[in-house]
Every structure is written in C-alpha cells, then in structure tokens.
Amino acid sequence: MIKSKYKWHLQQPTEYISGQVMAKFKLTPIVKKILESKSLVEENQIDAIINDGVIDYDPFKLSDMSKAVERINTAIDNKEKILVYGDYDADGVTSTTILVTTLQRLGAQVGWYIPNRFSEGYGPNELAFKNAHDEGISLIITVDNGIQGHNEIDMVQKLGVDVIVTDHHEIGNTLPLAYAIVHPMHPNFEYPFQQLCGAGVAYKLAQALLGDVPHYFKALVAIGTIADLVSLTDENRSLVKQGLAQLNDDCPVAIKALLNEAGYNDEINEETIGFIIGPRLNAVGRLEDASLACELLMTEDEEEAVFLAEQVEHFNRERKDIVAAITEEAMAMAETQVNDGNLFLLLAKENWHEGVLGIVASKIVETYALPTLILNIDREQNHAKGSARSIAQVSMFEILNAHHDLIAKFGGHHMAAGMTMNIDNIDELSTGLNQWMTTLQQTTSLDPVKKVDVMLNEQDITIKNIKDINKLRPFGTDFNKPLFELNDLTVGSVKAIGQDNKHLKLALGDNKITALYWQHGHLASELQDQQPINVLANIQINDWNGNQTPQLIIEDIAMNQQQILDYRSKRKQVPYTDHEANMIVLIHPKSDKTNSNEYFYGEIVEGHFDKVVLKDLPEKMEDLAITLNHMNFSQLYLVLQHSNSIYFEGMPHMDTFKKCYKALITKQQLDLQQHGMHLCQYLNVKPNILKFMLKVFLDLNFIVEENGIIKINNQPDKRSIESSRIYQLRQHRMEVEQRLLYDEFTQIKEWIKSQLS
C-alpha cells in the first residue's frame, strides 16, 4: 500500500456546457469536461479561453493614471531627471525594461536603478532615494514595488522629489503618501482586472504614455506574468497569449540569446518561460546585482546579447549548486520541526545565501505542505533576511502582517513574501506563527489537497485528445494545467532513472504508457510488475525522432493494496530508518532489542502499522504466523538477514545418526580435536553436520562432553532422535529457509496473506 501525498478532490461540475455551445466551439468530450471542472461553461468564457480575442482595458481606469501621465509629461517637457526604481526578480527587470524603454522613446532624461537584494533589500531604500535626490533627480517611478515604502517615500518627497508608485503587491492598512499610486487594487478605484503583475502595470502606463506600444513589450509582460505566478485569466491571459505569439514570431534578440545558451530551440510556451527564461532572469538578482538582467533585456545588439546571456547562464548554474546545498540542510531542520509538531516551519541559519531562500522555501513546502519561512542570520548586521512560501489555506501576507511588530520590513502576497527582522525576535516569531496556525487548524483543514479536473480511462490517453487539450493553453495560476486521475493502471515495468536514480519511470496499463515521476526514484523498490496503481498526472506528447507517443507526468501516486516487498537481496538498500513512526521491526529471539519498536517473532503485536519489517529469520514459521495473525499493515518488508544458510546442507539421514552412534560406542570416548576429521571421513559428512549430530546426542543425553572429549553414556534414556530440541530447531530452520528464502516470491506473499487476521 502506498499512501498518496495529497487528498484527491475530484471537481464536480455544478453547471454544464450546452450542446449548442459545444457545437459552436467544436468541443471534444475531454475538453468539455475540463472546462466544466473549472466552471467555465458560458459562451463568452469559453470564447476567451479558446479564441485569441484581445482584452485590453483602458489604462486610464487604473488609479491615478491621469495624474501620473501628466507628471511624467511635465518632467519630460522640463527636461527633469527621472529615475525608474525597479526590483531584482523577473517581474521587476521586465517592468523596468518596459518603462525605461517607454521614457527613452519619449525623449526623457531617464536612468534606472535595481536595488541590491543583499545590501538594500526589497522595495524603496532610503539611501538610494537620498542619492537620487543628490544627483538632481526630481521624479522617481517605482515599478513592481513601492506600495509598502511609506517612510522612504515620505522622506524623499519632503526633499522635493515626487514619487509615482506603480505596483501590484498587497496593499496594507494605509497607502504611502506618494505623488501618484498606479495600482490595480487601489481601494478608491475600480480597474476591471485586479491581478496584473508589475510588468503588466508598467505596460498599462506605457500604453497611457505612448498610445501605440512596441509589440515586444507584450513578450516582456508575458515573462513577468508567468514568472511572478499571478492569475492567468482575463487581461493577463490575453497579454500572455499575445506575448507568446510575439516570442515565437519575432523573438527579441535578448530572449533568443538566453534560450540559445540554455540549449533550447523548440516552440516557446508558458513552460519555456516558467522553467527556462524566468529562472535565468531571476538567478542574476539572486546571486549578484540584477542590473545584468536589465542590460540583457534592454539591448538590441546581437553580439552584446550573446555576451550578456553567457553571464546569465553562469549565474544560473551557480544558483542551482547553492540551492542544492542549502536545501539539504533545510530539509533536515524541517524534518525535526515537523516531528516536533510545528505547523509553520521557520528555518534560520547563518551563511545561507539570501538570494535563493525563496526557491528552498518552495521545496520545503512541496515536501511537507506547511507554510515555510527561511532566514539567513547575519550576526554583523544583527538581522535575519529571507523568503516565505505558503500553502493555499494560509495567506502569507496576512499571517506575517499579524506579527508585523516582530518584523522590521516585509512585502508580498497570499503565497509568498520577503522580509527582514531582528535576530532576537526569531524565536518569538516562530512561536507566534505556530500559535496562529494552531488556531487556524481548529476551523480549517491543513491537509494538502490536489484538485482533480477529470477522471480518465486508459483509452482516453491519445495523441488527439492531448492536442485538443493543448488548445486550451496557456496554463498557469487560476487556470492550471489539467490534472487527471487514472485508477487501476497495471504496472508493466519500473525503473529508477537520472542522476543518483532520483526519478521514476513506469510503463502503465495495457498500452504500456510511459509515465515519469520526478524526484521519486525511491519508489522503484516499492512497485512491482502487475500491481494496480492509481495516479494523478498531467498528460503530454513525447516527441522523439518524429515519433509521437502519449506520456504521463505523475504528481501523486497511490496503491490501495497491501504491499509485501522483497528486500532479501543484500544489494537492495532498505527504505526505512530505525525510528520511523508507526513501524515495527521483527527480530530473532536471540537478538537484543535496541529500539522500542522492535519485537520478537511470536510476540502478539496488535494494530495497523504503516511498515512491518521482517529483519531477521524467525526460529520457526509458527512464531511468524502468531505475530502476523494479530496485526495489519500497509507495507511489509522481507529483509530476513542471516549469517549462514543450512537448507542446502540438509538433515542427516537417520542411518547416519545410527552409524555415528555405533562408532562412538565402539570407541567409548573420542578426542574431537584429534579424531573429528577421521570420523567425518568415515561418515562421509562435513564437520558442521558432525557437530550438529553430536549436539543432538548431547541434548538426548546419549553422550557427555568434557574438555573436547566425547564419552558415551552407557545408560541413556530411550528417546528418538526426532524428539531432540536441537533436531527440531534444525527442522524448523530448514522449513523457514525453504519457505522464506527459497520458495517463489509469489508463494511467500500468498502464505503471509493467509496468516493475516
């Protein structure tokens, strides 16, 4: 039995698409079910998903847009110096590129500034703003930040520098006293779509300033939108569709150079941005100054683009190595906190690279399904800085805002945040966050849930159906890639693949559909041929040398049957640790118990256990049967370690016992060291067999032994050889070895199942 990591919640449509709408859009049954699972049943909704209609709301409906445009135009007319103040992530550098390019086209005297993640942190920085004033800048425009920069904005405006905030992050209880605030969620304005990213807001400002914007701006908006994980619906969806079309039709030289360095030359889709373009743009700001990413995006020179893209790729490779090292340490700390019952994981350590902590936090959340904050402790500065990632049930902005008195500075939204705090407050914050989570748990389930769009049969997994599903792209936040449940797929083959066998490759069902499960290579030892399993998976087309085949990308796996797993080979590494919860280990009665979860064969152990490990060989099958009869389990591991096997030595024939006994009577006494080998040759047995027969005779009191001298007892009790306890133990051991070591594994499994209550 393999437990699923998530609760699988199959979406049950409350409304259905009419036959008329199906016919109009030529919807196939599988596409119809997907749309219904997402509650997209109206004609206009489906039209917005399937067709390439443009959604382009009036930019002047955004808060303070007219005021912002008027101030910018005044600055241009008066030849004032303007500074675009950006951010160091992919959304921030695309936002900066859009607005700087816009102002350059208008003839503005414009410069740009990306704060350093490590020395300045997220958002407005007081020293940077003061320096801007000292350099004669009279207008600062923030992009993808600023809504939480109250003090810095107030300070610089008092110096005579106007600040226009363009941002999309959560708005706090109060607004900064900026000259203008362009924000889709401004409480005093009603923009038709509130989920624009920073690049989207910068794009709308560019529209208001230019009227007709360059087409490649939409490519930059698509990158910012997907990389920042904002909602891929409504206007965002329209912008991303147009941006992807631009990237494929006339890719900017900067993006082309970036993809070439990554070795990617296929069609550009949302996954290309999410897994290749976005992480590389982010990598620069995570490790160094993100200005390099802006310089790349702003260049139109191919040679310069190649040079800059090479540097970006270098940072990306370095970023991966750093993430791997920190993740290993953080996972160990997280496991300890989870075992202690923590519901919010606050992990803090010195010398962790601040730039990658968001990535590490995401990996922790993916593993433990708990909100996570990871901090780097800087003793010299007496502060800790880091990143937080959340789960669907918990707003990271809300929970951190509830403890703002312990935090020097933070910003973010429902699923993510960045922050700086005093080191002395870490323990108190951890306690407070866990108390908050404990209260939440009383009314809200924290169990991780995967929403399943559609239940499929194996016959539904066809190239045609996958191509129809792909017509619904792009997928992303609030319009996730469809997740399918497939049950009772027979395992055809199992293999761990990749470096260190990290990943799992399966062939499933009658059609031997290829399935991949990333980071779960360890399950290769728990899955066996012909077992039926259930999976949650995305489906895609695997195109190899022009041959297209369906492929499953598994997100979760479950098997409802009990599993009996064969680990008798010394080459197999047993997948358990001694102190796992809800696990028992059965050992030989002559062994010493070293852990509280160890029991001897023959002891009664009642209950259901996740894992039962048969560590040693039992003395006899009856002992194993007694213990099995009172328990239930999900997985049973046959380890059955032993130092030697006697099964193939066999049991001496009764005539050999008689011949040996007669030889001893003839001699009356025997020096085993001097004459033992002669007796072995006479009996035609190995020394081990002779020793066994002598032990039987000793047990029956047929002989006595003193200092290696065997003497006959001339008045023994009349007892049969078979009555000897030593003889019976060998019989039992031979039966145990035959049944548990040398029978077919299928027979062993059937016998174990037959003994369960």
Side-chain angles (χ1 to χ4, degrees), residues 284-344:
V284 183
R286 291 187 185 282
L287 302 187
E288 292 289 342
D289 190 332
S291 298
L292 172 64
C294 272
E295 290 172 14
L296 172 62
L297 293 179
M298 289 182 191
T299 187
E300 296 182 5
D301 181 85
E302 289 187 21
E303 190 172 328
E304 183 183 16
V306 169
F307 172 73
L308 294 171
E310 288 175 351
Q311 296 180 61
V312 170
E313 186 64 26
H314 166 77
F315 282 117
N316 187 57
R317 286 194 294 268
E318 184 180 354
R319 184 265 306 171
K320 288 181 179 179
D321 293 339
I322 294 171
V323 167
I326 297 176
T327 299
E328 184 176 355
E329 294 180 341
M331 283 290 184
M333 295 170 65
E335 183 177 2
T336 300
Q337 291 196 15
V338 170
N339 291 337
D340 289 342
N342 286 23
L343 297 175
F344 192 109

Side-chain angles (χ1 to χ4, degrees), residues 5-6 319-320 322-328 330-331 334 345 347 356-370 372 374 389 502 519:
K5 295 192 300 181
Y6 303 93
R319 184 265 306 171
K320 288 181 179 179
I322 294 171
V323 167
I326 297 176
T327 299
E328 184 176 355
M331 283 290 184
L345 305 179
L347 313 174
V356 301
L357 297 186
I359 300 174
V360 178
S362 295
K363 291 179 181 292
I364 301 293
V365 172
E366 185 179 340
T367 302
Y368 292 105
L370 292 172
T372 301
I374 302 192
R389 296 294 183 268
K502 284 184 179 179
Q519 306 299 326

Side-chain angles (χ1 to χ4, degrees), residues 405-644:
D405 56 315
L406 298 174
I407 302 170
K409 188 177 182 182
F410 85 96
H413 46 78
H414 185 97
M415 294 301 290
M419 59 168 292
T420 303
M421 67 179 297
N422 189 296
I423 295 173
D424 296 336
N425 293 339
I426 290 176
D427 289 341
E428 187 178 351
L429 178 62
S430 180
T431 300
L433 294 173
N434 273 283
Q435 289 175 346
W436 197 93
M437 290 294 296
T438 299
T439 302
L440 177 69
Q441 192 181 37
Q442 295 172 6
T443 57
T444 304
S445 171
L446 300 180
D447 291 335
V449 175
K450 282 286 186 184
K451 293 182 179 179
V452 183
D453 291 279
V454 179
M455 182 91 72
L456 294 183
N457 297 314
E458 182 183 346
Q459 293 72 28
D460 296 318
I461 311 299
T462 65
I463 295 296
K464 181 184 182 306
N465 274 343
I466 299 172
K467 287 182 176 179
D468 288 337
I469 293 168
N470 285 341
K471 293 175 183 176
L472 300 177
R473 301 182 83 153
F475 300 117
T477 304
D478 294 335
F479 190 71
N480 292 330
K481 194 172 187 178
L483 188 59
F484 302 104
E485 179 177 346
L486 295 100
N487 293 328
D488 296 323
L489 290 176
T490 303
V491 175
S493 66
V494 185
K495 186 178 182 182
I497 62 172
Q499 186 177 6
D500 299 325
N501 290 328
K502 284 184 179 179
H503 312 301
L504 185 69
K505 184 176 182 179
L506 304 169
L508 298 176
D510 296 335
N511 296 322
K512 300 293 186 290
I513 301 169
T514 298
L516 300 173
Y517 197 7
W518 308 122
Q519 306 299 326
H520 283 77
H522 61 277
L523 289 179
S525 56
E526 300 185 28
L527 292 168
Q528 295 165 348
D529 290 355
Q530 304 310 307
Q531 288 181 326
I533 63 171
N534 306 331
V535 300
L536 289 189
N538 304 123
I539 58 177
Q540 64 180 32
I541 295 173
N542 180 33
D543 196 334
W544 179 253
N545 289 334
N547 182 35
Q548 293 187 329
T549 56
Q551 182 169 269
L552 302 179
I553 303 299
I554 297 175
E555 291 204 12
D556 201 6
I557 195 169
M559 190 173 71
N560 297 325
Q561 291 184 343
Q562 279 183 326
Q563 285 183 287
I564 300 171
L565 302 164
D566 190 2
Y567 278 82
R568 293 171 296 172
S569 169
K570 293 180 180 179
R571 294 190 302 272
K572 290 186 177 180
Q573 185 177 355
V574 183
Y576 70 87
T577 57
D578 289 341
H579 299 282
E580 284 189 36
N582 203 29
M583 177 187 79
I584 66 167
V585 179
L586 297 176
I587 60 175
H588 193 281
K590 290 184 179 178
S591 304
D592 293 327
K593 293 182 180 180
T594 57
N595 292 311
S596 60
N597 63 350
E598 290 184 338
Y599 293 86
F600 295 131
Y601 289 103
E603 288 191 77
I604 294 175
V605 190
E606 295 182 331
H608 177 88
F609 301 94
D610 291 338
K611 293 181 179 180
V612 174
V613 180
L614 307 190
K615 185 177 181 180
D616 303 326
L617 279 173
E619 279 192 336
K620 51 188 177 180
M621 296 298 292
E622 289 83 356
D623 292 342
L624 174 56
I626 289 169
T627 303
L628 288 175
N629 188 250
H630 292 84
M631 69 167 63
N632 198 355
F633 57 80
S634 298
Q635 295 177 320
L636 183 143
Y637 294 86
L638 291 173
V639 179
L640 305 175
Q641 61 188 19
H642 55 285
S643 57
N644 66 297

Side-chain angles (χ1 to χ4, degrees), residues 72-91:
I72 292 168
N73 284 329
T74 298
I76 295 171
D77 291 342
N78 294 336
K79 301 190 182 307
E80 297 178 50
K81 290 183 179 180
I82 302 173
L83 177 70
V84 175
Y85 188 93
D87 187 30
Y88 39 69
D89 65 2
D91 190 21

